[in-house]
Structure formats: structure tokens, C-alpha cells
Amino acid sequence: YGEASTPLAEGRVAAVQAISGTGALRIGANLFAKFAGAGTPFYLPAPSWGNHTPIFGHAGLEVKQYTYYDPNTCGLDFTGMLDDLMAAPEGSMFLLHACAHNPTGVDPTEEQWREISDVMKKKSHAIFFDCAYQGFASGDAEKDAFAVRHFVEEGHNILLAQSYSKNFGLYGERVGALSAVLSTAEEAAKVESQMKILVRPMYSNPPVYGARLVSTILRDPALKAEWAGECLEMAERINTVRSLLVDNLESAGSIRPWGHITDQIGMFCYSGLTKAEVEAIRDKHSVYMTLDGRISMAGVTSGNVEYLAQAMHDVTK
């Protein structure tokens, strides 16, 4: 929310420590189901992280989708997204990826986020942000928080699930948080109480070791600056191999447009390869990716990028 956050200063933020981002999402899903009722529609972007559907479905919500990714451009179908936001019943519940959309790597621009906020305010939609890659998208944690902070500044009351697995390298420690911005401090206290009621029978108390590492780093200016620099280094490495992959595809002779690889952001790239092409690159070149063509860019290096590019060219030419 930022050091200058008004809701934080006014005590309008309810929060609990969660079992990483997955746990935060599940608590939030159960909170929605408890008060909105089982079977209430909950909208995910198409596509979304594979675990989102079972998380919200198992909580008792009816999972639906809204338009997000355009396979023809390997980018955002912004018009389709806005149309679906407008078409949904007033007060519907939506999940938004705060940054580095998983699995596509396609994010709205800041101006598009402003328009999304306006439409969702007009429709009085309930908003649940999933923030799993802050600092790993652009390399700047402040910039990556734009969408969340803009929505809060515009007066939205939101839920926010945060994971510290990737950006702090604490995957095995399961460090996360669920927070909610409310209208008053009294309301925040009531919502936090309801969160704790859900947490108690689910996992009772979260582990402290990883959370204390995160807290220690973020509270110490020198350690926080070092962490921010390391996030930037990782993001720049990923951006570098994105550019190298495009360069090597062109050098291999590909005339297919690959600009989406560098337009997308974060750890993942929706390559645009079809299922048949994914199977071909696996069988012919032992290159493995998910059947929807998603590449984990963190696994691409200066040492294997040329081989990957030649393999991609071979199955797409």
C-alpha cells in the first residue's frame, strides 16, 4: 500500500499472515463464500493461474471467466475485458492480477488500469487482487504496486493476497498475507476478526521464521535497498533473455512476429506456440513447456537461448 498509505494511517486495513499466496487466496475465497453465499459467481481472467479455479471452486463459489488474453496478438484484449466487466451483474466479484499476469505475462498499461478502475467503480464490483510477483515484474516494487495503489486511492475497498515466495526467495517458507481495505477502522476490526475465525480451524497459526525474515528486511533501509537491487537484477536478467530469444529467432530465419516476447513481463512468456507445436518441440528437441505454450523465462539462459530459438523456429516455420 505504500509508506504514505492513508488507509494504513487511519487503521482501515485488516490483515492476517497467510500460508503464502495460495493460503491468502483461500482465506479470501472462504470470506467471500461465507458472506456472499455458496454458488455466488466469481470471475477469473481467461486464462489465469491454474490453482485459482480449484481455490475458489472448493470454497463454494461458482467460477466464471472474463475476457483477458487475445491469442491473435499474444496481448491484452482490453476491449473484450471492459465489455465483460460492464456486462457482469452489478456488485460481482473479480480477481485481478496486480502485476506480471500468470500465465501470460500480459499486463494492462497504467492508463488501462485507470479505465478498469473507473468501470469497476461504476459497476460497484468487488475486487480481489492477487500480487505474487511484486518487484519481479518491472524490477521496481513501487512501480509494480501501481494498480493496487491506484484502486485504493480511487476509493475501492479491496482484498489483496500477497506472496513473498518469489520476490524474497522463500518458496519453502510459505510466507504470505491477506489484507483488506475498508471504509472505517471499526469495519476493518470486524473484517479482521472474521479472517481470524476462518484461519483458526484452517491452520491455526502461521510459521514465523520466513515472515520475520521479510519483516527484518523491509524494516531496515539498508537491507530493503539491497533487496530492491537484487529484484531489479533478476528482472533485468529475465528481460535480457527475452531480447536474446527474439534476436536469436530472427537470426535463425524466423519471419513470424515475436515482439510479444519482449512486450510481456515477469517470469512467464506466452510464446504463441500451439499445442501441436509444443508437442513437436518436446519430441524433436527435448524442450519442455506447458501445452498452452507458456515458457518459464527464468529457465532461459545465455547458454541455452540459441538452442531454444532454433528449436522454436524449427517447429513454427
Side-chain angles (χ1 to χ4, degrees):
Y1 297 108
E3 294 181 5
S5 168
T6 299
L8 280 177
E10 295 176 349
R12 295 191 287 112
V13 179
V16 291
Q17 185 183 333
I19 309 299
S20 199
T22 302
L25 288 163
R26 183 56 191 264
I27 300 165
N30 281 32
L31 194 66
F32 272 135
K34 181 177 180 179
F35 291 98
T40 301
F42 188 90
Y43 293 85
L44 299 174
S48 197
W49 179 44
N51 212 18
H52 279 147
T53 296
I55 286 171
F56 290 95
H58 289 175
L61 300 169
E62 181 189 358
V63 176
K64 295 189 173 184
Q65 291 186 312
Y66 63 89
T67 300
Y68 190 85
Y69 179 74
D70 183 352
N72 295 315
T73 64
C74 297
L76 179 66
D77 185 349
F78 186 56
T79 300
M81 180 181 182
L82 292 186
D83 287 345
D84 284 357
L85 296 182
M86 285 297 299
E90 188 166 325
S92 294
M93 299 181 291
F94 283 83
L95 182 125
L96 299 172
H97 294 236
C99 62
H101 180 275
N102 180 5
T104 69
V106 174
D107 284 358
T109 64
E110 291 188 0
E111 184 54 42
Q112 288 172 332
W113 275 123
R114 292 186 178 94
E115 291 188 53
I116 293 166
S117 170
D118 291 343
V119 170
M120 299 193 88
K121 180 182 286 188
K122 182 178 180 179
K123 295 288 292 187
S124 300
H125 290 326
I127 301 157
F128 196 168
F129 274 106
D130 185 4
C131 185
Y133 300 98
Q134 186 179 359
F136 249 31
S138 68
D140 182 345
E142 300 295 312
K143 183 178 180 180
D144 292 347
F146 173 81
V148 170
R149 294 180 185 178
H150 176 73
F151 274 63
V152 172
E153 288 168 2
E154 288 298 300
H156 293 277
N157 289 345
I158 67 166
L159 273 181
L160 171 65
Q162 290 175 273
S163 168
Y164 303 93
S165 293
K166 275 73 69 176
N167 54 7
F168 277 87
L170 294 171
Y171 217 98
E173 301 299 333
R174 313 313 293 152
V175 188
L178 174 70
S179 58
V181 176
L182 288 310
S183 299
T184 65
E186 181 183 13
E187 196 174 80
K190 292 178 179 178
V191 170
E192 188 167 304
S193 176
Q194 292 298 320
M195 290 177 177
K196 291 176 181 178
I197 289 171
L198 292 171
V199 164
R200 181 60 172 159
M202 193 181 295
Y203 56 88
S204 189
N205 291 290
V208 298
Y209 177 68
R212 286 176 177 170
L213 288 176
V214 173
S215 178
T216 298
I217 291 168
L218 293 181
R219 290 174 184 271
D220 185 298
L223 291 176
K224 185 177 180 181
E226 183 178 351
W227 166 75
E230 290 173 352
C231 282
L232 178 61
E233 183 179 351
M234 288 300 299
E236 288 181 338
R237 193 200 76 79
I238 290 173
N239 289 335
T240 296
V241 294
R242 284 181 181 273
S243 296
L244 285 173
L245 180 55
V246 173
D247 291 345
N248 277 273
L249 280 162
E250 292 173 351
S251 297
S254 178
I255 58 173
R256 187 166 170 169
W258 297 104
H260 57 277
I261 293 175
T262 50
D263 290 340
Q264 294 169 11
I265 195 169
M267 291 175 62
F268 302 114
C269 168
Y270 241 38
S271 64
L273 269 65
T274 64
K275 180 181 178 180
E277 290 166 344
V278 170
E279 291 172 340
I281 201 171
R282 178 193 65 198
D283 296 341
K284 294 178 65 177
H285 301 282
S286 299
V287 172
Y288 296 86
M289 63 187 74
T290 55
L291 291 175
D292 55 12
R294 188 191 77 165
I295 298 173
S296 174
M297 295 306 299
V300 182
T301 70
S302 57
N304 64 23
V305 66
E306 182 179 358
Y307 181 84
L308 173 62
Q310 291 174 347
M312 289 174 66
H313 174 51
D314 180 55
V315 301
T316 58
K317 63 185 179 182

